């Protein structure tokens, strides 16, 4: 593997520090920021107050991290907001809009069963544009392209799609009819279809298609709906299936049954990148016998990133759940990720971001103790949430975003 491009892992004293993650990990043209809780960085305690106070603290922490890397809030490409109560959305929106001057980034909002600290009402993670790249890439005045189409639902609190360099990031799509602004009639099949049709419409508006998607995160109100959703997804991805993670939501906006988040390859890049130089970048979807069989690709690489599908604690030889407690299950999840990375000539220290779902948030310390043993250098950025259920009644599920220094052809 070509290890020329350097991963930049950084912390600042102006935001809460965590022994099991790095605040921000930049690689190539993106920064990945760990999910921020409403902690006062001076005391390490949850701020006293209501949801608005907590949202403000989360965003203030993100702002401090961003400014410590010589960036500003308007460099944010995407935010994911995890709430204890979905009814707090309006309060979040009110505070959130004050942190951005020129435009609103793409966004996902979801209620989860639990957050890492009991008194936290909200947790927010961010993805940041990094025009200067990481060494030895030369700084480049890349342009961010924020766009909306009338053929998909338009939100007053987010942009449908924001492209930067070789990725498009699409706001999570609810099963809303773009013409009426209402949820579509029907059950999970109809709602999943509408979400994917909205994504398709957004992609077509920027001259892309569903085969350009590299990763989907599917938020389900009922985890038992996963098979029905997989069947719908198969009709939208008949030949190639992106990496995928499934998250059990405690609640979704508008009381929807499903919401789908996507990361999209953007081979044409953003100016001043030249379309004739980049439009032929190849999506490399890979699977290995050393990880459990899945209804999606194990890993999808595009340009300078790999996206690893959510891994359950399954024995790859039997595809059965491993026996044991959460430590045993977390170890298996991480071993599966390690095997997937090894199959594409990468290692765990190439990981820039991990997302961990726990059925019992009280297991966080046990999982962290195992998790840290899989890395030899700086720890990745991280997000941890508690959920009511995980597929196959697992106790933990983990996915990862990985640096890909060698890039995908025809880049050198």
């Amino acid at each position: 593997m070509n290890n020329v491009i350097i991963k930049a892992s950084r912390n600042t004293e102006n935001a809460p520090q965590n022994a099991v993650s790095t605040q921000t990990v930049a690689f190539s043209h993106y920064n990945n920021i760990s999910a921020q809780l409403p902690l006062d960085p001076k005391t390490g305690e949850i701020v006293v107050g209501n949801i608005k106070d907590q949202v403000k603290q989360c965003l203030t922490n993100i702002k401090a991290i961003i400014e410590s890397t010589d960036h500003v809030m308007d460099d944010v490409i995407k935010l994911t907001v995890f709430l204890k109560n979905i009814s707090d959305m309006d309060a979040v929106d009110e505070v959130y809009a004050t942190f951005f001057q020129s435009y609103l980034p793409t966004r996902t909002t979801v209620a989860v069963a639990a957050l890492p600290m009991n008194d936290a009402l909200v947790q927010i993670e961010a993805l940041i544009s990094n025009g200067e790249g990481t060494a030895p890439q030369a700084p480049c005045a890349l342009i961010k392209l924020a766009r909306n189409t009338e053929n998909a639902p338009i939100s007053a609190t987010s942009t449908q799609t924001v492209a930067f360099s070789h990725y498009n990031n699409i706001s999570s799509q609810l099963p809303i009819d773009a013409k009426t602004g209402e949820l579509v009639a029907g059950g999970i099949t109809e709602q999943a279809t509408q979400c994917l049709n909205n994504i398709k419409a957004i992609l077509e508006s920027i001259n892309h298609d569903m085969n350009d998607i590299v990763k989907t995160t599917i938020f389900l109100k009922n985890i038992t709906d996963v098979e029905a959703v997989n069947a719908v997804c198969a009709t939208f991805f008949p030949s190639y299936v992106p990496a995928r993670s499934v998250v059990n939501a405690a609640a979704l906006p508008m009381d929807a049954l499903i919401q789908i988040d996507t990361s999209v390859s953007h081979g044409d890049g953003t100016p001043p990148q030249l379309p004739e130089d980049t439009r032929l970048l190849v999506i490399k979807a890979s699977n290995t016998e050393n990880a459990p069989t899945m209804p999606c690709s194990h890993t999808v690489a595009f340009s300078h990133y790999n996206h690893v599908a959510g891994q359950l604690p399954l024995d790859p030889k039997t595809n059965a759940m491993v026996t044991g407690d959460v430590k045993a299950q977390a170890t298996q999840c991480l071993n599966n990720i390690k095997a997937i990375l090894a199959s594409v000539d990468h290692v765990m220290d190439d990981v820039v971001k991990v997302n961990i779902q726990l059925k019992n948030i009280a297991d966080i310390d046990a999982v962290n103790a195992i998790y840290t043993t899989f890395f030899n250098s700086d720890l990745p950025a991280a997000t941890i949430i508690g959920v009511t259920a995980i597929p196959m009644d697992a106790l933990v599920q983990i996915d990862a975003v990985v640096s890909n220094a060698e890039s995908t052809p025809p880049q050198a």
Side-chain angles (χ1 to χ4, degrees):
M1 186 181 74
N2 179 356
N3 285 309
V4 173
I5 300 175
I6 296 170
K7 183 171 66 175
S9 302
R10 292 170 285 193
N11 289 296
T12 174
E13 293 180 354
N14 296 325
Q17 296 195 30
N18 192 321
V20 294
S21 66
T22 302
Q23 287 171 351
T24 177
V25 181
F27 187 80
S28 189
H29 290 135
Y30 280 91
N31 271 332
N32 301 268
I33 293 186
S34 289
Q36 294 298 301
L37 289 163
L39 298 175
D40 182 325
K42 295 179 181 178
T43 65
E45 302 293 330
I46 297 285
V47 295
V48 177
N50 58 23
I51 182 64
K52 290 184 181 180
D53 298 312
Q54 292 203 8
V55 171
K56 183 177 180 180
Q57 187 64 53
C58 290
L59 290 168
T60 298
N61 290 342
I62 289 171
K63 184 179 180 183
I65 294 167
I66 290 171
E67 291 177 346
S68 75
T69 62
D70 296 324
H71 283 262
V72 295
M73 286 296 280
D74 282 331
D75 291 325
V76 174
I77 299 290
K78 177 180 180 180
L79 287 175
T80 304
V81 180
F82 299 99
L83 292 171
K84 285 286 288 293
N85 302 300
I86 201 69
S87 58
D88 286 335
M89 266 189 67
D90 290 342
V92 171
D93 292 342
E94 185 177 334
V95 176
Y96 160 84
T98 66
F99 278 78
F100 300 94
Q101 303 302 315
S102 64
Y103 93 117
L104 293 173
T106 63
R107 198 172 104 181
T108 295
T109 304
V110 59
V112 294
L115 294 171
M117 297 184 73
N118 286 335
D119 294 331
L121 301 174
V122 61
Q123 179 177 240
I124 304 177
E125 69 174 20
L127 182 66
I128 312 296
S129 61
N130 189 47
E132 68 272 28
T134 51
Q137 291 175 318
C140 183
L142 292 172
I143 294 172
K144 184 170 57 182
L145 296 177
R147 292 170 284 192
N148 290 297
T149 174
E150 294 180 354
N151 296 326
I154 294 177
S155 171
T157 59
S158 65
T159 303
Q160 285 173 354
T161 176
V162 180
F164 188 80
S165 187
H166 291 139
Y167 276 88
N168 268 327
N169 299 272
I170 295 181
S171 285
S172 279
Q173 292 300 300
L174 290 161
I176 297 172
D177 184 317
K179 294 180 180 178
T180 66
E182 302 293 332
L183 288 183
V184 295
I188 187 61
T189 297
E190 290 78 14
Q191 290 202 12
T193 300
Q194 186 64 48
C195 290
L196 290 165
N197 277 330
N198 289 342
I199 291 167
K200 185 178 180 181
I202 293 168
L203 291 179
E204 289 176 348
S205 75
I206 55 173
N207 298 318
H208 283 264
D209 60 40
M210 297 296 278
N211 285 329
D212 291 324
I213 294 174
V214 295
K215 171 74 186 294
T216 62
T217 301
I218 299 174
F219 297 94
L220 289 176
K221 193 170 180 183
N222 302 304
I223 203 70
T224 54
D225 286 337
V226 66
E227 294 302 327
V229 172
N230 285 341
V232 173
C233 286
T235 67
F236 282 81
F237 304 102
S239 58
Y240 150 76
V241 184
R244 182 184 304 164
S245 293
V246 177
V247 179
N248 185 209
L252 292 169
M254 299 180 69
D255 201 28
L257 299 177
I258 183 171
Q259 179 176 239
I260 302 181
D261 179 31
T262 47
S263 295
V264 181
S265 63
H266 187 238
D268 37 334
T270 53
Q273 291 172 323
L274 299 176
E276 59 266 29
D277 291 341
T278 58
R279 66 188 175 194
L280 297 177
L281 282 174
V282 176
I283 291 176
K284 296 182 70 174
S286 301
N287 291 293
T288 174
E289 294 180 353
N290 296 323
T293 302
M294 304 182 70
C296 65
S297 299
H298 281 146
T299 179
V300 178
F302 182 78
S303 187
H304 288 134
Y305 279 91
N306 270 328
H307 304 262
V308 177
Q311 294 300 301
L312 292 166
L314 302 178
D315 184 323
K317 294 179 181 178
T318 64
N319 252 44
M321 191 73 63
V322 296
T323 58
D325 59 8
V326 71
K327 288 185 178 181
Q329 291 201 7
T331 299
Q332 187 63 54
C333 292
L334 291 162
N335 277 331
N336 291 342
I337 290 172
K338 185 177 180 180
I340 291 167
L341 294 184
S343 73
V344 292
D345 297 324
H346 280 264
V347 296
M348 290 295 283
D349 283 321
D350 292 326
V351 174
V352 296
K353 174 75 192 301
V354 295
N355 300 297
I356 301 174
Q357 300 173 46
L358 295 175
K359 191 173 181 181
N360 185 352
I361 201 68
D363 286 336
I364 189 169
D365 290 338
V367 170
N368 283 339
I370 297 297
Y371 164 79
T372 54
T373 66
F374 278 77
F375 302 94
N376 296 313
S377 61
D378 292 324
L379 292 168
T383 295
I384 301 176
I385 57 172
V387 295
T388 303
I390 295 173
M392 298 185 70
D393 202 30
L395 300 176
V396 60
Q397 181 175 222
I398 305 175
D399 67 45
V401 180
V402 184
S403 60
N404 188 45
E406 70 273 27
S407 190
T408 52
Q411 285 192 338

